């Protein structure tokens, strides 16, 4: 589902690597036969020293590719198998945050036979319905009426057999990019859409990004500290992004973590890095450096 964004990110990253004298080559899974084995065969045959993973979504961001690279003993950028799998799984990451007493909205699993009345009683309205293993907001819907809940489940189920309904947090949306052990300046997002959906992320110019984010110094430090706790809680490594809502009472709520965020001209990690004085090429180099660790 995220192929188009992966290609855009990959093109930008490859150009930045080449501009810095790195002997880099783009590898597109579809061009190697459309499967993991074909791609791994190419990686082994050509004798690459390491892999810069910029394949978003399932197959690239969920631990599958990371595990395959570890079999090849080929170092790679970003998080390992465990953190990648957890980051792609909205349900398990929420459970870990809950176990660590970190704030995240309430949820209920949805199936075709769920008692929708009970779901609404538990979470209230509005709520948001999400596929558990999907990125870029694919399959997500805001539900304001109980009678629309089944249709929202059906839409999400087109992307994933596992679907959840989550408590709606009314307030401001923030994202915090992580680079190494540092939380970069937070970004506040504003969109006229119901939420920060695929169109708001990649296709329209009406989305507003604020960096500085408008929070007080103390509140931004609180937000950054929470993002680092969430990142560390799932054993994430190297770089990533944590998405957070702030309700009308000023409380922050963890929404999800991205272990291979977008690197397009609309993407948030490059925006946060720029605010921290790190240009795109330097950002790509810093991410590449995260591959310089032993493959466990």
């Amino acid at each position: 589902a995220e192929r188009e964004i992966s290609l855009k990110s990959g093109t930008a990253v490859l150009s930045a690597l080449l501009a810095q004298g790195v002997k880099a080559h783009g590898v597109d899974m579809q061009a190697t036969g459309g499967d993991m084995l074909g791609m791994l065969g190419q990686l082994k045959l050509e004798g690459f020293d390491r892999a810069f993973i910029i394949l978003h979504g399932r197959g690239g961001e969920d631990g599958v590719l990371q595990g395959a690279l570890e079999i090849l003993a080929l170092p790679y950028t970003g998080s390992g198998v465990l953190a990648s799998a957890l980051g792609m799984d909205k349900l398990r990451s929420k459970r870990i945050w809950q176990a660590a007493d970190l704030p995240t909205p309430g949820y209920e699993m949805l199936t075709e036979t769920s008692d929708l009345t009970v779901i609404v009683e538990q979470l209230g309205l509005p709520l948001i319905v999400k596929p558990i293993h999907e990125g870029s907001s694919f399959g997500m819907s805001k539900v304001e009426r109980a009678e629309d809940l089944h249709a929202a489940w059906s839409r999400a189920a087109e992307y994933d057999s596992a679907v959840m309904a989550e408590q709606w947090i009314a307030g401001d949306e923030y994202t915090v990019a992580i680079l190494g052990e540092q939380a970069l300046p937070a970004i506040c997002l504003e969109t006229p859409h119901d939420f920060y959906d695929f169109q708001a992320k990649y296709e329209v110019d009406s989305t507003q990004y604020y960096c500085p984010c408008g929070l007080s110094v103390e509140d931004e430090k609180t937000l950054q500290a929470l993002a680092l706790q969430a990142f560390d809680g799932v054993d994430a490594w190297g770089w990533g992004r944590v998405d957070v809502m702030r309700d009308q009472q000023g409380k922050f709520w963890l929404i999800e973590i991205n272990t291979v965020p977008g690197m397009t001209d609309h993407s948030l990690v490059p925006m946060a890095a720029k605010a921290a004085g790190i240009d795109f090429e330097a950002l790509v180099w810093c991410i590449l450096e995260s591959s310089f660790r032993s493959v466990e």
Side-chain angles (χ1 to χ4, degrees):
E2 297 188 72
R3 174 171 170 76
E4 178 186 350
I5 307 305
S6 297
L7 291 173
K8 289 181 178 180
S9 292
T11 297
V13 167
L14 180 59
S15 296
L17 291 170
L18 292 172
Q20 296 177 90
V22 178
K23 189 178 180 182
H25 302 265
V27 177
D28 178 359
M29 188 181 295
Q30 285 198 9
T32 60
D35 60 25
M36 187 69 71
L37 288 177
M39 187 185 69
L40 293 176
Q42 179 178 343
L43 293 178
K44 185 174 182 179
L45 180 66
E46 298 194 20
F48 293 109
D49 295 313
R50 59 197 64 250
F52 194 119
I53 298 176
I54 200 66
L55 177 56
H56 308 307
R58 281 184 272 188
E61 194 172 351
D62 59 0
V64 173
L65 178 57
Q66 289 77 6
L69 293 173
E70 292 198 9
I71 291 173
L72 292 183
L74 184 64
Y76 54 86
T77 56
S79 293
V81 175
L82 175 64
S84 299
L86 290 172
M88 198 67 194
D89 190 317
K90 296 179 179 67
L91 174 62
R92 271 77 189 181
S93 57
K94 285 175 76 70
R95 286 176 174 171
I96 286 175
W97 291 336
Q98 287 176 328
D101 201 27
L102 298 177
T104 188
Y107 69 92
E108 294 287 342
M109 295 300 296
L110 272 182
T111 68
E112 190 171 12
T113 59
S114 292
D115 187 328
L116 304 185
T117 302
V118 172
I119 299 292
V120 171
E121 287 176 354
Q122 292 290 327
L123 301 177
L125 288 171
L127 52 77
I128 189 161
V129 173
K130 302 177 177 182
I132 285 176
H133 305 99
E134 199 58 81
S136 290
S137 300
F138 285 110
M140 289 172 53
S141 303
K142 181 182 180 182
V143 176
E144 299 186 88
R145 304 183 308 164
E147 55 265 38
D148 296 331
L149 189 52
H150 187 272
W153 167 83
S154 181
R155 181 185 179 201
E158 293 177 7
Y159 292 90
D160 193 354
S161 60
V163 176
M164 74 176 179
E166 185 180 66
Q167 177 187 4
W168 181 266
I169 303 297
D172 295 326
E173 184 166 0
Y174 297 87
T175 192
V176 180
I178 310 293
L179 188 60
E181 298 181 357
Q182 175 188 7
L184 299 181
I187 298 172
C188 180
L189 317 169
E190 285 187 3
T191 174
H193 296 206
D194 284 335
F195 59 92
Y196 191 47
D197 59 13
F198 183 88
Q199 288 73 32
K201 289 176 179 176
Y202 302 115
E203 296 182 346
V204 300
D205 295 323
S206 56
T207 305
Q208 299 294 312
Y209 305 95
Y210 300 98
C211 191
C213 65
L215 293 172
S216 67
V217 172
E218 181 178 353
D219 285 346
E220 183 167 6
K221 286 182 177 179
T222 298
L223 172 58
Q224 290 172 317
L226 177 62
L228 286 168
Q229 285 180 288
F231 197 71
D232 183 64
V234 298
D235 198 33
W237 166 270
W239 76 299
R241 205 188 73 228
V242 180
D243 298 335
V244 182
M245 294 294 299
R246 191 189 196 205
D247 66 23
Q248 294 171 345
Q249 288 71 47
K251 182 177 179 177
F252 293 114
W253 297 87
L254 294 167
I255 303 300
E256 65 178 88
I257 181 173
N258 296 269
T259 54
V260 184
M263 291 285 278
T264 73
D265 55 0
H266 276 63
S267 295
L268 300 169
V269 174
M271 193 182 305
K274 183 178 180 181
I278 305 169
D279 66 23
F280 190 81
E281 289 185 4
L283 171 63
V284 168
W285 185 267
C286 287
I287 296 170
L288 178 62
E289 287 182 329
S290 73
S291 69
F292 283 82
R293 59 175 178 149
S294 60
V295 176
E296 299 175 357

